[in-house]
Amino acid sequence: MSSVISSPLPLKLTPSENIACGLSRSAAEPHHIDTQIIHAGRDPERFSGMVNTPVFRGSTIMANNLDDWEAGRQVDNPMAMYGRFGTPTTRAFEQAIVTLEGGHDALVFPSGLSACTHSIMAFVKSGDHVLMTDSAYGPTRTFAERVLRRMGVDVEFFDPLIGGEIRTLVRPNTRVVFVESPGSWTFEVQDIPAIAEEAHKVGAFVLMDNTWATPLYFKSFEHGVDVSIHAATKYIVGHSDALLGVVSANQRAWPILKQGAHDFGQTAGPDDIYLALRGMRSMAVRLRQHWDSGIQLAEYLRTQPLVERVLHPALPSDPGHQLWKRDFLGSSGLFTIELKPVGRPALAAFFDSLELFGIGLSWGGYESLALPIDKPPTRTASKNTYQYPLVRIHVGLESVDDLKSDMGRAFRRMESAL
Ligand SMILES: *Cc1c(COP(=O)(O)O)cnc(C)c1O
């Protein structure tokens, strides 16, 4: 085989082009997800045998003659031959996500938040009704309250535990039902199939922020979701070194999502996409450790005298456990603990003596984090029954015994500062 690169054709790019997964072409049986995650979105033959799809930097994509130029332009998008609509790096990542998640197609966005906001924007117009879970990621909620309402969209929040009772809120003009399960602060698990069934009766689209479970641990499209949104920043990138969003959609939602993203000029930089693809290769292995260590640490924290409650759906004691068991294939390493009433000096003693847990936003990297949540997040449709402060914990990939010791030490310091 002479250099693949010398032929202009394999490198030509259109939005509909797929980088086929070498395995799915030849395999009679679908491979285990652990195998798919290694091979999805890779085609070394196209890139001189390179294992990883390279970083393509580019805006202009040149044609050599008029026939090629005209052939590359698509009916639905005459500007298709342009870097904003994706490079081989972009398509490799989007195809990998589709392989793992099972949607029709996927698109990148520059951050998880832009993936949430622009997915909603693609579907709504003035006069539409949007239902959003009360437990949505704060900035997504703020966007709905500040931007959607300003544009004449009727935004209504609902109790995350509403289930099929959402039928009492759904209207003929309900266009989007936005869910997030579990909520990323207090971890309420939503009955997605029941909600989707009611939403679909009026033709609404179910958009889900699936960041916590990743494409591996919650299969959105098998549970009635139409658009599955990920802050790839978290577990997909996995190393706290890039911001990225990715959204996959089923066949019904795909043309609307794609049009909206293109109308707004949404795209993402090739280096960040490369980092996401690279991080994704080890995600199945990493998640098993986050899951296992998360449960072990959560169980340990339950025994601490200053811990009132642990909010973690994979614990049998959690109110969302039955739904989690029914619908999810695993658990990530993010959960929250509710403390007994302690003052700020005691809280400071706790945080200041943690050696392995940094205080920081975001999560999903290899490092452990603890985040003080000192006041209740906005809730308008459900009761905020939590006692503050809460501490949200992301369990990293360190030895869980070391993490337990670190937490144990910090709790003893907190006790002596009471
Ligand atoms: C972090 C996060 C986002 C936003 O992702 P960014 O890449 O930080 O913009 C959205 N949803 C959830 C649940 C998140 O945790």
Side-chain angles (χ1 to χ4, degrees):
M1 183 182 70
S2 63
S3 166
V4 180
I5 302 290
S6 68
S7 156
L9 267 178
L11 291 179
K12 275 234 169 122
L13 193 79
T14 67
S16 58
E17 183 186 8
N18 294 352
I19 292 190
C21 158
L23 285 176
S24 64
R25 260 186 276 146
S26 55
E29 301 237 316
H31 288 274
H32 191 279
I33 193 95
D34 283 9
T35 307
Q36 293 183 32
I37 204 169
I38 300 303
H39 292 271
R42 282 205 301 120
D43 194 357
E45 272 183 39
R46 291 182 67 210
F47 307 113
S48 303
M50 288 294 170
V51 170
N52 293 297
T53 304
V55 174
F56 277 80
R57 302 177 195 287
S59 51
T60 299
I61 301 167
M62 291 191 296
N64 286 331
N65 55 56
L66 191 60
D67 278 351
D68 281 357
W69 174 248
E70 288 173 348
R73 292 157 60 117
Q74 310 219 327
V75 181
D76 63 341
N77 182 9
M79 291 303 287
M81 296 290 287
Y82 188 45
R84 197 169 65 224
F85 303 102
T87 68
T89 317
T90 320
R91 289 306 290 161
F93 179 57
E94 290 168 346
Q95 281 303 306
I97 292 297
V98 170
T99 302
L100 300 180
E101 188 144 55
H104 177 71
D105 211 333
L107 274 173
V108 294
F109 291 81
S111 70
L113 180 60
S114 76
C116 293
T117 58
H118 283 282
S119 295
I120 299 172
M121 286 300 281
F123 288 88
V124 296
K125 63 179 187 311
S126 169
D128 283 346
H129 180 231
V130 168
L131 283 167
M132 181 175 280
T133 175
D134 215 18
S135 56
Y137 175 67
T140 306
R141 181 190 182 104
T142 302
F143 165 80
E145 290 177 323
R146 204 179 280 167
V147 182
L148 289 181
R149 281 187 178 149
R150 189 170 75 216
M151 293 174 47
V153 175
D154 188 356
V155 176
E156 184 176 356
F157 293 94
F158 64 88
D159 185 334
L161 305 181
I162 198 168
E165 289 306 305
I166 200 164
R167 75 177 66 89
T168 61
L169 302 180
V170 169
R171 308 180 197 159
N173 67 334
T174 304
R175 178 73 169 162
V176 162
V177 178
F178 191 95
V179 296
E180 181 183 327
S181 181
S184 65
W185 277 19
T186 42
F187 298 91
E188 302 87 346
V189 183
Q190 301 196 245
D191 191 340
I192 305 293
I195 291 172
E197 189 182 336
E198 298 303 324
H200 289 156
K201 284 181 186 164
V202 296
F205 290 87
V206 178
L207 276 54
M208 174 164 179
D209 184 333
N210 192 22
T211 302
W212 184 83
T214 83
L216 299 184
Y217 288 168
F218 184 82
K219 298 297 179 186
S220 297
F221 302 110
E222 293 171 17
H223 293 87
V225 171
D226 300 294
V227 177
S228 186
I229 304 166
H230 299 275
T233 308
K234 311 291 164 61
Y235 285 113
I236 296 175
V237 165
H239 296 71
S240 304
D241 52 3
L243 287 154
L244 193 71
V246 64
V247 181
S248 50
N250 62 16
Q251 203 149 6
R252 179 170 82 109
W254 170 250
I256 303 170
L257 175 76
K258 181 178 106 175
Q259 195 64 65
H262 288 181
D263 287 345
F264 280 106
Q266 290 294 306
T267 185
D271 293 291
D272 294 333
I273 296 169
Y274 181 89
L275 288 172
L277 258 174
R278 177 176 152 138
M280 187 202 75
R281 301 292 172 206
S282 60
M283 186 169 65
V285 177
R286 285 186 284 112
L287 273 176
R288 280 195 286 270
Q289 172 101 17
H290 287 294
W291 176 8
D292 185 58
S293 296
I295 301 255
Q296 285 195 53
L297 189 71
E299 293 284 13
Y300 171 75
L301 292 174
R302 256 158 54 92
T303 66
Q304 293 296 314
L306 285 177
V307 172
E308 178 73 36
R309 255 200 298 186
V310 177
L311 312 171
H312 190 322
L315 295 190
S317 58
D318 192 272
H321 185 68
Q322 287 311 319
L323 278 180
W324 175 79
K325 227 165 92 176
R326 187 191 72 185
D327 292 346
F328 287 73
L329 300 171
S331 162
S332 62
L334 188 77
F335 64 94
T336 287
I337 55 176
E338 184 183 336
L339 299 178
K340 297 250 163 71
V342 294
R344 193 176 179 289
L347 199 63
F350 172 78
F351 276 101
D352 296 353
S353 57
L354 284 172
E355 284 170 10
L356 300 177
F357 291 81
I359 305 178
L361 291 172
S362 197
W363 43 279
Y366 53 81
E367 80 288 7
S368 290
L369 295 169
L371 179 72
I373 303 173
D374 52 0
K375 56 177 192 303
T378 308
R379 292 287 163 94
T380 51
S382 53
K383 281 206 196 76
N384 206 319
T385 58
Y386 308 100
Q387 193 168 279
Y388 293 82
L390 304 177
V391 179
R392 190 180 72 179
I393 292 172
H394 179 251
V395 179
L397 301 178
E398 300 93 335
S399 149
V400 70
D401 292 332
D402 288 341
L403 295 178
K404 283 186 204 166
S405 310
D406 201 35
M407 277 279 164
R409 201 166 38 239
F411 270 108
R412 287 193 295 278
R413 293 272 177 79
M414 180 152 70
E415 280 158 31
S416 51
L418 279 177

